[in-house]
Amino acid sequence: MPSRPFRQVDVFTDQPYYGNPLAVVLDGSGLTDAQMQRFAQWTNLSETTFVLPATEPGADYRLRIFTPGGELPFAGHPTLGSCHAWLAAGGQPRGGETIVQQCGAGLVRIRREGERLAFAAPALKRSAPRPTELAQVASALGLKAAQIVSSQVLDNGPVWFTLLLDDPTTVLRLQPDHVVLKALGHKIGVAALDGAAATPLIARGNREARAFGASAPAPTEAPSLVVRAFAAASGILEDPVTGSLNASLAQWLIADEHIAAPYVATQGACLGRDGMVHIARDAEGQVWVGGHSVVCIAGTVTL
């Protein structure tokens, strides 16, 4: 079995051992689907990726993304973390400052924002959940109807059954029944706005204390949105920091004027991960999802 270059990267943080860890096999050539899936089960991380030569014109590389339970067409933290690892290993984008990733959802543009990378959020499909399903999800989360501000089923590759709740404290105190959520078959996203988050990030004071523990790295910008993600249906009870969910949340919440961009979301506080997701919207209306990444393990794997 050949040795292949490998990185383990923490994404949506500039501090090692925070954020969301990602396993990246930098040369996945020749591996079967079963071999990729088996390795993803072995790493036991929320996602493991395999970098391959591009097969579509204009792409810099192709990426396959696996959870312990199956393959994803797109995911946010694997996109940023894999791009960071590819660049750190000497990858050279054809388009200068813009990197183009090929994945199951198509071509994804990634841009440099100083020390951060940001991906262009894929096109979003959304719909209102059925009332019976909403009631089942709310019950599994221990929520009362009055605590739910709004709800949507969001699809940008991964599908998230998503609830906007009344307060960050409600989000942080949730203790879901993961057995029930797994049986329902939905990946669940929950979020709540900071009390003043309907306006841009100006003079937010110290409200990040509501979302960060005392041991967390001090953020440079105060979060406007607190997010959690529950994915028992995919083999992950709670995902530390979720790029695809934050991308679709941003598209929904900005479009419906719940929040204005730019803003910062925080996720992972309940797991001690304290990730920071930077959301921007350009003049053409494209939402960009950004974050830092840091390599924690560099070496080879026999695969």
Side-chain angles (χ1 to χ4, degrees):
M1 295 176 70
S3 293
R4 301 171 187 268
F6 173 82
R7 302 291 185 272
Q8 187 159 312
V9 185
D10 280 338
V11 187
F12 294 118
T13 181
D14 59 1
Q15 302 289 324
Y17 317 118
Y18 286 89
N20 198 351
L22 170 73
V24 184
V25 178
L26 285 163
D27 178 11
S29 300
L31 292 173
T32 66
D33 292 4
Q35 287 174 311
M36 293 183 186
Q37 185 63 72
R38 178 63 182 169
F39 187 67
Q41 290 172 335
W42 179 80
T43 68
N44 200 34
L45 299 177
S46 57
E47 278 98 8
T48 298
T49 65
F50 301 85
V51 179
L52 299 159
T55 58
E56 291 191 25
D60 291 302
Y61 59 85
R62 180 184 174 209
L63 195 70
R64 296 189 67 182
I65 306 167
F66 287 81
T67 73
E71 187 171 5
L72 297 176
F74 166 77
H77 106 272
T79 292
L80 295 185
S82 299
C83 185
H84 177 88
W86 181 77
L87 290 170
Q92 294 293 327
R94 300 176 184 179
E97 290 301 300
T98 300
I99 303 98
V100 180
Q101 173 186 286
Q102 176 188 347
C103 59
L107 299 182
V108 178
R109 287 178 295 146
I110 305 166
R111 69 182 186 185
R112 305 175 203 247
E113 296 180 338
E115 295 181 356
R116 298 195 302 260
L117 295 171
F119 66 83
L124 176 68
K125 295 182 288 185
R126 62 185 178 109
S127 59
R130 291 194 292 267
T132 52
E133 287 185 311
L134 178 58
Q136 290 171 330
V137 169
S139 176
L141 293 172
L143 290 169
K144 300 176 181 178
Q147 294 173 299
I148 302 173
V149 176
S150 188
S151 59
Q152 290 278 276
V153 178
L154 305 175
D155 180 358
N156 61 3
V159 179
W160 291 95
F161 192 112
T162 311
L163 307 178
L164 180 63
L165 303 184
D166 59 342
D167 190 87
T169 301
T170 304
V171 172
L172 295 172
R173 289 179 177 173
L174 289 176
Q175 296 184 353
D177 187 328
H178 295 290
V179 174
V180 173
L181 290 181
K182 183 175 182 179
L184 291 174
H186 297 301
K187 293 193 291 186
I188 309 298
V190 293
L193 300 165
D194 178 276
T199 58
L201 280 173
I202 300 174
R204 290 297 173 87
N206 293 317
R207 284 185 293 271
E208 68 270 19
R210 298 168 65 182
F212 282 83
S215 62
T220 57
E221 298 175 86
S224 296
L225 193 71
V226 177
V227 179
R228 292 178 74 183
F230 307 112
S234 298
I236 302 295
L237 297 187
E238 182 167 358
D239 194 44
V241 201
T242 316
S244 63
L245 172 60
N246 275 282
S248 55
L249 267 169
Q251 290 165 302
W252 166 34
L253 297 178
I254 293 169
D256 287 5
E257 299 184 344
H258 289 290
I259 197 169
Y263 71 84
V264 178
T266 181
Q267 188 183 343
C270 294
L271 301 174
R273 298 293 183 82
D274 304 300
M276 300 286 284
V277 183
H278 296 258
I279 301 295
R281 188 170 183 257
D282 65 24
E284 287 72 42
Q286 173 66 57
V287 169
W288 292 86
V289 181
H292 292 89
S293 296
V294 58
V295 174
C296 296
I297 300 173
T300 60
V301 292
T302 304
L303 186 62

